[in-house]
Amino acid sequence: MAHDRIVVLGAGVAGLTTALLLAQEDKYSITIVAKHMPGDSDIEYASPWAGANYLPVSKAGTEAADWDRTTWAELARLASLVPEAGIHFQGTTTPLHTVKYTRKKDMDGTIGDWFSELLSPKPWFSDMLPNFRLLPTEELPPGIDHATAFTSVCINTALYLPWLAGQCLSKGVTMRRGVVRHVADASHLHASGQQAALVVNCTGLGAASLGGVLDSTVIPARGQTVLVRNDPGRMLSNSGTDDGDDEATYIMQRAAGGGTILGGCYQKGRWESQPDLALAMRIMKRSVELCPALTDGKGVEALDVIRHGVGLRPLRLGGARVEQERMHDGLWLVHNYGHGGWGYQSSYGCAEKAARLVRQALRR
C-alpha cells in the first residue's frame, strides 16, 4: 500500500504532537525536519523553556477553547496512565494544589488581558477541571479580590518532548535535522528522497521569517523563569504584580524531579535572549511572598537555584493559525503555529485539527 509522503517542519510540541497523531493513522510516510530537536536548548526553540502547565486562557465559545478542552482529556490520561511522559496532577491530595489569585486592579493590564478567562470566578473550564471551586473570602490573602482552586497538571518538558519524539519514532516517523529558507523547500527533505505531497508548518516564531509564509503578525512574547529545587507544595499564580504591567507570578513544580519553575513575564516584542538579573530577583522575591512554603519562611536566600531561563513564546496576534493553503505549484501546506503561551495546553486540539486538514487535502 502506497503511503502519502508528509514533511512536518518543526520539532516543538506542535510539530511532534501533529506528527504523532498523523502517524497513528498508519497511512502516511512522515519525516520531521527541524533545526532544533528535543534535548536542544536554544532561544529559537521555545518548547523546552515552557513551564509547562494547563491553565486555560482561551475565551469561552471559541475554537481555541475547544482545542484546550480536547487537550485536557489527553493530558489527564497521560498523567494518570503514562508516568514516563513526565506529566503529573497538581491537586489530587487537596483541591488547593492549583490556585489562581485575582486582583481587580490587574484586569486591564497586559497580564490581566492575557489571563482574562482564567481570572473569571466562573470560567468555561469550571465544569471540566476536577475540584473546581471559588475560594471563600476568609481564605484569601490580603489584597486579593477573589481566587479559584482546581486540579490541573504540570509537565516536565525535559521528559515530555523526548517522550513525544520516542512515540513518533516507534510509529515509523523519521526525524532529521534541516534548515529551510522557504517552506516549499521542506517538501524535498522527505527521508525517502522523493518530494512530499504536503508540508505541515509548525515553525512557531520562525513563521515570521520563513519564505512562503512571512507572517508579520507573529512576534515574540518573552518569558523569563528561575528553576529551583525547592518544593512549593502546590501550583500557584496571580493576575499581575506591582512591579510592572507585563510581569506576573507563577509557581509550578515539574513532574519526576524536574524542579520548580518560578516566573515570570509576558514581554511582547522583546527578543532579548539573556536573563535580566534584576527581573530574576523580582521573580524570586514575589514567589516567596506568594508561597512562603517554598523556603519554609526563610526568604529568597533559601532558594536553591538550578538555572535561569529565557524563552520566546511564538505569539500570533489574532490567534494561532491552523489552516490549509495550496501553493501555486500545487504543494499543500497545513499551518499549525502561533500558539503564544499556550502551546502545550492546546497541543492535542490543534494537532487534531491539523491532522483533519491533512486528510482533507490529500483526498482532493
Side-chain angles (χ1 to χ4, degrees):
M1 175 183 174
H3 287 65
D4 290 312
R5 292 181 295 276
I6 297 172
V7 168
V8 176
L9 189 58
V13 68
L16 292 170
T17 308
T18 303
L20 177 58
L21 294 194
L22 288 169
Q24 289 172 347
E25 299 188 32
D26 195 31
K27 58 183 178 181
Y28 305 118
S29 174
I30 303 166
T31 299
I32 296 174
V33 176
K35 181 178 181 180
H36 303 292
M37 293 286 185
D40 294 359
S41 55
D42 191 284
I43 193 61
E44 295 179 346
Y45 188 36
S47 289
W49 302 107
N53 63 9
Y54 187 91
L55 293 178
V57 296
S58 53
K59 304 293 192 296
T62 64
E63 186 176 29
D66 293 338
W67 294 336
D68 287 352
R69 185 178 290 275
T70 296
T71 302
W72 170 254
E74 182 60 13
L75 294 181
R77 185 190 73 84
L78 293 173
S80 297
L81 302 175
V82 189
E84 62 269 30
I87 303 175
H88 67 166
F89 287 109
Q90 301 277 274
T92 53
T93 58
T94 165
L96 288 181
H97 258 194
T98 299
V99 181
K100 184 69 187 183
Y101 293 117
T102 301
R103 307 185 306 178
K104 291 180 180 177
K105 67 179 182 178
D106 299 323
M107 297 300 287
D108 294 327
T110 298
I111 303 301
D113 179 65
W114 178 27
F115 283 167
S116 59
E117 183 72 21
L118 183 59
L119 302 179
S120 169
K122 186 70 173 176
W124 66 261
F125 53 84
S126 62
D127 65 349
M128 181 182 71
L129 296 184
N131 300 315
F132 187 95
R133 71 185 183 105
L134 185 67
L135 295 189
T137 303
E138 60 269 21
E139 293 184 22
L140 301 180
I144 299 299
D145 293 299
H146 71 261
T148 54
F150 45 89
T151 294
S152 188
V153 296
C154 187
I155 302 167
N156 184 344
T157 62
L159 295 181
Y160 184 61
L161 291 172
W163 179 82
L164 280 176
Q167 293 298 297
C168 288
L169 292 170
S170 72
K171 296 187 180 303
V173 175
T174 300
M175 299 181 68
R176 61 185 299 185
R177 300 267 182 175
V179 178
V180 300
R181 304 301 175 192
H182 193 284
V183 67
D185 296 342
S187 68
H188 299 285
L189 296 180
H190 191 271
S192 66
Q194 302 179 67
Q195 185 175 11
L198 185 146
V199 173
V200 185
N201 172 28
C202 300
T203 53
L205 196 55
S209 57
L210 179 63
V213 182
L214 296 177
D215 192 335
S216 62
T217 67
V218 175
I219 64 171
R222 182 181 181 273
Q224 182 171 320
T225 60
V226 184
L227 182 64
V228 300
R229 294 182 177 87
N230 307 68
D231 183 354
R234 59 177 64 179
M235 187 155 68
L236 300 165
S237 62
N238 64 14
S239 58
T241 78
D242 295 327
D243 293 327
D245 177 65
D246 57 6
E247 294 187 25
T249 303
Y250 45 87
I251 301 169
M252 64 190 85
Q253 187 178 38
R254 287 175 165 178
T260 297
I261 291 283
L262 311 179
C265 59
Y266 196 73
Q267 299 172 329
K268 293 182 181 179
R270 287 280 307 276
W271 291 88
E272 176 54 53
S273 63
Q274 298 304 305
D276 176 338
L277 295 184
L279 173 56
M281 182 54 68
R282 293 196 298 273
I283 288 170
M284 291 187 287
K285 182 174 181 291
R286 292 194 300 257
S287 295
V288 297
E289 289 175 352
L290 182 64
C291 183
L294 261 176
T295 59
D296 295 323
K298 297 175 184 177
V300 172
E301 294 77 11
L303 287 172
D304 189 357
V305 176
I306 299 171
R307 69 165 184 266
H308 297 268
V310 174
L312 302 180
R313 304 175 183 93
L315 175 65
R316 185 172 185 265
L317 303 176
R321 184 183 186 190
V322 188
E323 62 185 30
Q324 287 176 342
E325 179 182 0
R326 194 164 199 182
M327 305 198 74
H328 61 83
D329 61 356
L331 175 68
W332 277 104
L333 303 178
V334 170
H335 300 284
N336 182 12
Y337 68 84
H339 306 93
W342 42 277
Y344 282 84
Q345 63 195 30
S346 67
S347 56
Y348 285 92
C350 289
E352 279 194 4
K353 180 177 180 181
R356 185 167 65 251
L357 294 174
V358 167
R359 290 192 294 271
Q360 292 172 358
L362 294 179
R363 282 200 301 264
R364 294 178 180 176

